[in-house]
Every structure is written in C-alpha cells, then in structure tokens.
Amino acid sequence: MEGQDDGVAEQSQQHDLRSILSCSDRDFLIRNNDDQVKIDNLKGKKVGLYFSASWCGPCRQFTPNLVEVYNELFPKGDFEIVFVSADEDDEAFKGYFSKMPWLAIPFSDSNTRDRLDELFKVMGIPYLVILDNNGKVMTEDGVEFIREYGVDAYPFTLERIKEIKDEEEKAKLEQPLKFILASRSRDFVILADGNKVFISELEGNTIGLYFAQFSYKNCVKFTPKLVEVYEKLKAKGEKFEVVMIPFDDNEESFKQGFEKMPWLSLPFNDKSCVKLAGYFAIPTIPALVIIGPDGKTLQSDVVEAIEEHGTETYPFTPEKFSELEEKDKAKRDAQTLESILVSGDLDFVIGKGGCKVPISDLVGKNILLYFSAHWCPPCRAFLPKLVETYHQIKAKDDAFELIFISSDRDQTSFEEYFFEMPWLAFPFGDERKEYLDRIFKVQGIPMLVVIGPTGRTVSTEARELVMYHGANAYPFTEARLKEIEAENEEMAKGWPKKVKHELHEHELELIRRQEYMCDGCEEEGIAWSFYCEECEFDLHPKCALEENKAKKGEKEDDMEETKTKEGWVCDGDVCHKA
C-alpha cells in the first residue's frame, strides 16, 4: 500500500516543462537534423519522455513501434515525444536519434539527462513517461500501453486503457469475426494474388486460423495435409475457410510460400499476428484454431486431429471430437503389433548387416520402440544405460526385443549410431516413423515406448523407468511398477526417519526421491534419500546408514570391552576402580 501511495503522489505531481527540460544556457530541444525547437512550443501538448539507448536490444525493438504511433498522432498537433538518451557517446546517440522523428535533449547536456533519470526514477529502459498538457504525469507505463494497444491507447490515460479493456472483455464474450481478424487500419484479409477479401464476407463460415511459418520444418510437413483437407471440404461445398496467421521472417519467403496456397492470409508482418498468438495462447506452430460460424472458438488446436483423421474432423464441433475419441479408443483397444508396424510392403525391420526381420517374427514379444538420433546429446548419454538394460533383460527373457526408430539426418549418421546398438531398427528414412511419431505424440527424443505381447501400448514413458530402475522395471507394466513400489517400501522398513552425518551440518530426513546424485559417493540414486531440503543435500541410504552402523558397532565394542573388565570404569585415558 505504501508503494501505491507513493505512485499516486508521483503521478499527481505537476511538472513545468521549461524547468525540467532546459538548463541555464539552453531553452531548446533538437531534431535529428540539428534544428532547434523552443521548449515553450510544447505548451498545451501531451509530452512523452522516452528514455532509451542504442545499445539496448529491447529499446531497438520498441522504437519502430513508437515511431509508427507518433507518425499517426503527429497530425493531431497535441502530442510530442522527447528522447532522453542513455547512450555512451555522441556518435551512438546521433546514429540512433537519426531514426526518430521527434525531439531530444542534446547529448552534450548530460546534467539534464541525469536529472530527468533521477526525477522520474528510471530503473530500466525502454521507459516512456507521458505528461498531460499541464505537465502532470498520466502514466509511467507508456511502453506497455504502446506495445499492447498501439495508437488505440491515445490519449494514454488510465481511463482510456480501462475503456479498451472493457471493450475487449465485451468483444471476447461476443467474439465477432471482425474483433478477431480486423485491426484499426484493416478490415480485410488477402488472397495469394494480392486481392483483398473483406472480413464481413467471411461471416457465417467455419474459419481455421492457421498459425504457421512456411520455412519451419513442422509446418512444411503439415501444410500439404491441411491443403488436402481444405480442398476436399471446398469441393463438397462446405462453408469452411482458412486464414493464415503468418510468422515468416522475411516478406520474400512469405510470398513464395503463400502463392502456392489456396486460402487467405493476414498481410505479412501484420501486428495482429502477434496479438492473435497471445489471445489464443499459441505455444508452438503449426497451430490451427477453429472459429465456428457464430464467431465463437470451437477448438484451440486441431493439427493432431487433422493429421490423424483428415476431413473426418469437420465440422470440428465438440460432438464430432467426442465421436473421434471413441473411434480412437476402439482403435487403441484393437491395436496389434502389425497394425502399427506394418505399412504395405514395409513389413520388416533390419538387423546388423541389413538383414530383414519380419514383423510377424516379433508378434507375442515385449517390444521397446526407441525414438532417438545420433545428433541428440541426451540420446547419446542415455544409450549406454539402455544397452546395459537390454542385455540384462534378454538374458532372462528372449521374448523381448527393441527397435530403433531414427531421427538422424543422413544415412551415414544413422549407420554409425546403429552400429553401437545390439538390437533391430527401421531402415533410415522409413515412412512408418511419421505415423508412429503421431500416434505416440513424440515431441522430444530420446523416447521409449513399450508394446506388450498383445500388441497394446503399455507405456510411453519407459525412458524414465529404465533410468530409475533399469532391467528391474521389466516388463514395464503397472503391476510391475506396483511391485517395485512395494519393494521400496519394504526396503525402508526399520530405517531411521532422521540421521546426523559427518558430511553435513543439518539433520537429514528420509524421503522419497525419483532421481538424485548422492553428495557422499557421487553416484546416482533413486527411490529413497536422506535429504536436507534447506541445502538440497542428498545421501544414499547406504552412505548414511553405514556410518551410523559403524558408530553403533564402535559403541558396542566399547561396551563389550568395559564388561570384560568387571569392577573398572574407563574415563578417557585413565581406568578407575568402580
């Protein structure tokens, strides 16, 4: 509350522009062509004091936005900006100021610049303080206002920002298509030939907002599938449109990609692209948001659904997705090893030397699918542990096999990596990989999927099980994990809940830990640790308890020695008769 009171007091303070912007031998400001402008010319205007510097990355990113807003507001004649530089030399100041259409404190007047920094408590840049036409602080959040709302934030009062937010909340509830796709200066989207289509013409359609970048590899894979679905639905006469929300780095790559597309798009580098990504909370691309005919959001992202079901996903309603989920469940329940690993003539995997092993030979076995690549450091780090686990499992159960599914970038890398493995593999570049990536939702590697003897999926998180338990986790079923849990509980029976150890000053508490590095023997540990939360200090139970056992043994030996000398009591170096 105290900080808020100070903020209110600061914002209620009124400043005389002449006194805060001038000095004893200067009553003017400068433009980037060295023209001088009298400070008195600012009377009656709203003034933004822009604290910035050329060396500051966020400043360089924000300045073009501010230039755009300034140029749009300048004709009104009641708004001006004054640049207060934090540059380190005059050359840097001039180079940066040359891109600004507003006024500045001369770089030579460091005293005034320092005084303004102190007066407005500038703790970081870019920083934009906006004063009203009487010199009163309207806001110190000018940067946030401009970033979020652009010229719409004018006249930059708290009342205007509240008004904008209220309008947004109301629009979110009603969500007309214009609220989503239009901007203050644009009420259209574009075709590949550059022609405009007014947003009003799209109303009543189901709209797919396609967040993508033509050069991004995941978009390159998905876009042809979306084109296929789009053209099939249009051929059926469905009222479905796609509007691309492009995130390409340069206009040329956007044009080259868009000219092959059958749908619409926002213009390249349109500010609404970033705004929409935030509005729909898009975590990654590609993403396809579905807007229903009433303007309401039907689905937050249907990329995976389209990859799996194509045109069957239309019209993207909750009822349709419930139907597809039932279909997927039935498919999972009927899954066999051959249904996921056989595709046309691709009914085999390869062993050493390229020998083919029919998938039919693997039916009835426990199978691990290992998604990995030589270029991936975590994969290479995990491989020795997996090789050790593989040999241990094979030694006790021959009805077990592992298949490497490569994400390597070339045949040579694949062969070098596969040479280190004692198991089977898909051939390099096998088209079945894409299907498996999709059904098992492979978002990162290494990943280890378990397929049971019936061909059903047992686990998609076997990597963690191998890391924590090795071959002891086999066959990776829920039943086996419960057995391990019971074994861990049994193991800890009789252990003390807390111990003191010479390696650590604080008492250590026995807790469950998934994985840790012992601070005693510097080896990995799992399941149980004697732990100090304050210091994040771990000890294996064996490390913590062996010392205690040793100490206990020493005491017992001492007691035994005392007992043999009946009638005597030993105190330090001297023994006395009792």
Side-chain angles (χ1 to χ4, degrees):
M1 291 298 295
E2 183 177 327
Q4 290 179 351
D5 291 342
D6 290 346
V8 170
E10 177 63 32
Q11 290 200 17
S12 66
Q13 186 176 350
Q14 191 165 310
H15 300 281
D16 177 70
L17 290 176
R18 171 181 269 275
S19 65
I20 66 172
L21 297 181
S22 66
C23 61
S24 58
D25 59 350
R26 178 184 56 78
D27 63 351
F28 61 86
L29 302 165
I30 61 171
R31 294 199 181 277
N32 57 23
N33 61 0
D34 292 329
D35 283 354
Q36 297 179 0
V37 176
K38 293 288 186 180
I39 295 173
D40 288 344
N41 287 357
L42 299 178
K43 284 183 179 178
K45 294 184 177 182
K46 300 173 185 65
V47 176
L49 301 179
Y50 182 42
F51 298 84
S52 185
S54 63
W55 49 261
C56 165
C59 295
R60 294 195 305 273
Q61 290 178 345
F62 175 70
T63 296
N65 294 344
L66 187 58
V67 168
E68 184 176 333
V69 169
Y70 176 84
N71 287 337
E72 192 164 343
L73 293 177
F74 184 74
K76 292 179 180 288
D78 66 347
F79 179 63
E80 190 53 83
I81 293 177
V82 178
F83 172 38
V84 185
S85 176
D87 277 304
E88 298 172 351
D89 57 72
D90 188 56
E91 184 178 352
F93 164 78
K94 286 180 178 177
Y96 192 36
F97 187 38
S98 68
K99 302 170 186 176
M100 301 177 181
W102 46 71
L103 306 173
I105 303 289
F107 183 78
S108 58
D109 189 358
S110 59
N111 289 335
T112 298
R113 292 188 288 115
D114 290 344
R115 189 173 72 247
L116 289 169
D117 280 354
E118 185 175 348
L119 177 64
F120 292 102
K121 299 179 176 62
V122 179
M123 302 302 293
I125 54 176
Y127 188 62
L128 181 62
V129 178
I130 300 179
L131 312 177
D132 69 10
N133 51 11
N134 293 312
K136 180 181 174 182
V137 176
M138 291 194 295
T139 181
E140 296 171 343
D141 297 323
V143 170
E144 287 72 21
F145 286 2
I146 297 293
R147 278 178 177 156
E148 187 73 17
Y149 305 111
V151 74
D152 288 343
Y154 182 81
F156 309 111
T157 59
L158 296 178
E159 293 75 18
R160 174 55 187 153
I161 300 305
K162 183 179 183 305
E163 182 183 340
I164 292 174
K165 288 183 176 179
D166 288 345
E167 290 171 356
E168 283 188 345
E169 287 304 313
K170 182 181 178 182
K172 282 180 182 179
L173 292 174
E174 300 173 357
Q175 196 166 286
L177 198 58
K178 281 192 174 182
F179 167 73
I180 299 172
L181 291 178
S183 68
R184 191 171 179 274
S185 59
R186 177 184 50 73
D187 62 353
F188 60 86
V189 290
I190 61 172
L191 289 162
D193 60 9
N195 286 329
K196 299 175 181 178
V197 174
F198 291 105
I199 293 167
S200 57
E201 297 178 41
L202 302 178
E203 291 176 356
N205 284 269
T206 298
I207 306 291
L209 303 180
Y210 184 37
F211 296 79
Q213 178 181 331
F214 284 114
S215 59
Y216 184 54
K217 63 177 182 179
N218 290 346
C219 298
V220 170
K221 286 171 60 178
F222 177 69
T223 298
K225 181 68 174 179
L226 182 58
V227 168
E228 178 187 349
V229 168
Y230 175 83
E231 290 180 338
K232 284 182 178 179
L233 291 175
K234 296 296 281 187
K236 290 180 180 179
E238 302 290 358
K239 296 185 70 176
F240 175 60
E241 262 310 335
V242 171
V243 178
M244 185 160 175
I245 316 298
F247 284 87
D248 291 87
D249 296 328
N250 62 77
E251 191 168 10
E252 188 58 34
S253 68
F254 166 72
K255 285 181 177 178
Q256 288 179 359
F258 185 42
E259 68 182 6
K260 303 168 188 173
M261 296 298 107
W263 50 59
L264 307 165
S265 178
L266 292 189
F268 170 75
N269 214 24
D270 192 283
K271 287 185 172 55
S272 294
C273 296
V274 174
K275 184 177 179 181
L276 287 171
Y279 179 74
F280 288 107
I282 302 300
T284 186
I285 56 174
L288 187 64
V289 177
I290 301 297
I291 307 298
D294 59 355
K296 302 292 191 296
T297 303
L298 278 177
Q299 302 291 341
S300 59
D301 188 12
V302 297
V303 166
E304 285 188 9
I306 284 180
E307 285 180 330
E308 183 67 20
H309 300 287
T311 56
E312 288 186 73
T313 51
Y314 187 80
F316 310 107
T317 58
E319 295 77 14
K320 171 57 74 172
F321 272 64
S322 294
E323 179 187 319
L324 293 176
E325 177 56 33
E326 286 299 316
K327 183 177 179 179
D328 287 343
K329 183 178 182 302
K331 189 174 181 180
R332 289 194 297 270
D333 290 344
Q335 177 180 297
T336 65
L337 190 67
E338 289 167 311
S339 73
I340 60 172
L341 296 189
V342 174
S343 176
D345 293 336
L346 296 172
D347 59 354
F348 61 89
V349 289
I350 59 172
K352 296 303 179 184
C355 66
K356 293 182 179 181
V357 177
I359 298 297
S360 57
D361 287 358
L362 304 178
V363 171
K365 294 186 176 184
N366 285 295
I367 303 294
L368 292 184
L369 304 178
Y370 181 42
F371 298 84
S372 184
H374 185 266
W375 52 261
C376 165
C379 296
R380 295 198 304 273
F382 176 60
L383 183 60
K385 177 70 173 180
L386 185 58
V387 170
E388 177 188 15
T389 300
Y390 175 83
H391 285 308
Q392 290 172 350
I393 295 173
K394 286 289 280 187
K396 63 183 180 181
D397 186 359
D398 194 51
F400 164 74
E401 196 48 79
L402 194 150
I403 301 171
F404 169 42
I405 302 169
S406 173
S407 292
D408 282 301
R409 294 166 180 156
D410 56 71
Q411 182 77 34
T412 301
S413 298
F414 164 77
E415 290 175 356
E416 289 179 359
Y417 196 35
F418 185 40
F419 180 77
E420 303 175 41
M421 303 174 182
W423 44 71
L424 307 172
F426 275 5
F428 175 72
D430 195 293
E431 64 185 42
R432 289 172 289 179
K433 175 186 178 301
E434 186 175 339
Y435 171 72
L436 294 175
D437 282 349
R438 185 167 69 252
I439 66 169
F440 293 120
K441 296 179 172 55
V442 179
Q443 300 296 320
I445 53 175
M447 182 172 174
L448 204 56
V449 174
V450 184
I451 307 298
T454 64
R456 299 269 299 273
T457 303
V458 173
S459 174
T460 58
E461 299 177 352
R463 177 201 175 192
E464 289 75 14
L465 299 179
V466 168
M467 288 295 298
Y468 298 153
H469 307 294
N472 194 40
Y474 184 76
F476 310 104
T477 59
E478 283 294 326
R480 178 56 193 145
L481 296 184
K482 288 179 181 178
E483 289 175 358
I484 291 174
E485 182 69 18
E487 290 167 4
N488 287 334
E489 291 294 335
E490 184 67 27
M491 180 195 313
K493 283 183 179 178
W495 288 352
K497 300 301 180 185
K498 294 183 179 180
V499 300
K500 281 291 292 177
H501 196 281
E502 64 180 9
L503 291 178
H504 195 66
E505 58 182 322
H506 299 136
E507 195 170 39
L508 304 175
E509 182 179 2
L510 180 64
I511 66 167
R512 296 299 302 268
R513 295 272 276 167
Q514 283 284 9
E515 184 180 15
Y516 63 90
M517 188 65 70
C518 177
D519 291 295
C521 64
E522 297 185 353
E523 293 181 1
E524 288 184 0
I526 58 169
W528 292 104
S529 167
F530 282 94
Y531 181 64
C532 173
E533 183 177 8
E534 180 181 346
C535 306
E536 295 187 352
F537 181 90
D538 285 281
L539 276 186
H540 281 148
K542 66 177 182 179
C543 294
L545 298 177
E546 280 177 0
E547 183 194 61
N548 282 5
K549 183 178 178 182
K551 286 183 176 178
K552 183 178 178 182
E554 288 171 7
K555 289 180 181 177
E556 289 174 348
D557 289 345
D558 290 343
M559 288 175 64
E560 189 65 34
E561 186 176 346
T562 301
K563 288 177 184 176
T564 59
K565 299 177 177 12
E566 187 175 350
W568 292 76
V569 175
C570 295
D571 180 13
D573 294 330
V574 181
C575 293
H576 304 276
K577 282 186 178 181

